[in-house]
Amino acid sequence: MLVFIIKRLLVAIPVLLILVVGTFILMYTAPGSPFATERGIPPAVLANLEAQYGLDQPFVVQIWRYITGIVTEFDFGPSFIYRDQNVNDLIGQGFPVTLTYGFWSFVVAVIIGGALGILAAVKHNTWLDYLAVGISIGAQVLPNFVLAPILVLVFTLWLGWLPGGGWQGGQWQYIILPVIALSTSFMASIARISRASMLEVLTSNFIRTARAKGLPMHRVIFRHALKPALLPVISYLGPAFVGMITGSVVIDIYFSTGGIGQFFVASALNRDYGVMMGITVLLGTLTILFNLLVDILYAWIDPKIRY
């Protein structure tokens, strides 16, 4: 297992390098510049700004300086729009917010989605199964960009129970609506996957043997059926967690939480190359890291797997 982890980490280096170079090329080949939106800016001032940020250098020099800064100093460079902050400051400001409600969204999606799927499989073709499937389908057809304004409309404007935006240091009343909006569709996917997997496991020969020996149903479920049924769910959890982090773009816009999503959108609109690159590298690193964790959990749950 240790050799496998080392190999995966070594493979991650060229993957991240390709990600950085590809994103760099796409941004710098697009027409315009971060300062093109400034009205009436003299050409001499524009040339001085580009020289200050190194945009007048050849493309190879720019990308080499950028990669060198990341590797040697873990520095993602300056922001072209937020003049008093660099990219590291913006990520350090927004990522803890995104990680907070992303983590709780992940917990809610796994617990509720897994419970719904297992309950639907155990009570197959009963009203509980139909109810769980109905909830999953309803949650699946409501993506976060549709659900977020509905939640604000109902719980903030109509009922007045919860605030419709802000963060206030992560107080619980400001977390509830973002967590619901972000976790719902992932919860539905987990419920569908766990239900299908549990139904398949419950028809296996070793489950029939356990039930034929007179074991109680709850022991059959938790001691024999649960671990193999979780394998497809575990495979989904790595991309799901990263998807919740990237899905924070919509959540930040609707709820004004102050996470990295708003910086990501602003950087794309304003051609803030440094912020765009920094968040892209961060999300790529998270994707590789959590896929590695999923592989490790997969081998722990199923001892037959050998990497």
Side-chain angles (χ1 to χ4, degrees):
M1 177 61 74
L2 180 60
V3 175
F4 168 76
I5 295 175
I6 294 175
K7 287 182 178 180
R8 286 291 297 270
L9 292 176
L10 292 177
V11 170
I13 296 175
V15 171
L16 287 176
L17 183 61
I18 293 173
L19 176 66
V20 170
V21 173
T23 308
F24 209 91
I25 292 174
L26 289 175
M27 287 193 305
Y28 277 80
T29 53
S33 73
F35 314 109
T37 56
E38 299 286 347
R39 294 185 176 181
I41 182 171
V45 176
L46 179 61
N48 289 333
L49 287 173
E50 292 180 346
Q52 178 182 354
Y53 290 100
L55 300 181
D56 59 338
Q57 299 292 326
F59 172 78
V60 177
V61 175
Q62 293 185 46
I63 194 169
W64 174 255
R65 290 173 56 184
Y66 184 79
I67 295 176
T68 304
I70 295 177
V71 174
T72 58
E73 303 177 6
F74 200 70
D75 182 14
F76 290 104
S79 170
F80 300 150
I81 304 300
Y82 304 93
R83 305 294 171 81
D84 56 340
Q85 293 178 298
N86 57 31
V87 179
N88 290 38
D89 295 333
L90 296 176
I91 293 178
Q93 173 185 337
F95 185 65
V97 176
T98 301
L99 186 62
T100 299
Y101 66 75
F103 169 77
W104 288 114
S105 301
F106 181 78
V107 172
V108 170
V110 171
I111 293 177
I112 298 180
L116 281 177
I118 293 171
L119 180 64
V122 174
K123 302 295 183 180
H124 186 47
N125 287 335
T126 65
W127 68 271
L128 286 174
D129 183 18
Y130 301 144
L131 177 63
V133 172
I135 293 175
S136 301
I137 295 175
Q140 191 74 55
V141 300
L142 285 176
N144 52 15
F145 62 84
V146 175
L147 186 58
I150 294 177
L151 291 174
V152 173
L153 180 65
V154 174
F155 291 100
T156 302
L157 299 181
W158 291 355
L159 300 177
W161 290 354
L162 295 169
W167 187 245
Q168 299 298 321
Q171 299 179 21
W172 66 268
Q173 60 266 33
Y174 291 89
I175 297 179
I176 293 177
L177 292 186
V179 167
I180 295 175
L182 187 57
S183 64
T184 303
S185 59
F186 293 98
M187 177 200 71
S189 299
I190 292 173
R192 292 188 298 105
I193 294 172
S194 58
R195 177 182 180 271
S197 179
M198 180 61 76
L199 283 175
E200 182 179 357
V201 171
L202 290 178
T203 59
S204 302
N205 292 330
F206 71 95
I207 297 296
R208 294 195 187 98
T209 302
R211 298 183 65 177
K213 290 181 177 180
L215 294 178
M217 191 59 187
H218 69 275
R219 188 172 181 182
V220 172
I221 296 298
F222 290 103
R223 290 291 299 275
H224 299 282
L226 187 59
K227 287 183 67 174
L230 285 178
L231 291 177
V233 180
I234 293 295
S235 300
Y236 174 75
L237 292 184
F241 184 81
V242 180
M244 292 182 194
I245 299 299
T246 56
S248 67
V249 172
V250 175
I251 303 302
D252 287 332
I253 296 300
Y254 276 107
F255 295 106
S256 302
T257 57
I260 60 172
Q262 65 179 14
F263 296 123
F264 197 63
V265 174
S267 65
L269 296 176
N270 298 322
R271 298 185 179 278
D272 196 346
Y273 299 146
V275 176
M276 192 79 173
M277 289 291 300
I279 297 178
T280 301
V281 173
L282 174 64
L283 296 180
T285 304
L286 289 176
T287 302
I288 295 172
L289 175 62
F290 280 95
N291 282 331
L292 175 60
L293 292 178
V294 164
D295 288 337
I296 296 174
L297 285 175
Y298 209 96
W300 176 72
I301 291 177
D302 189 358
K304 294 183 297 182
I305 294 179
R306 292 292 179 265
Y307 291 113

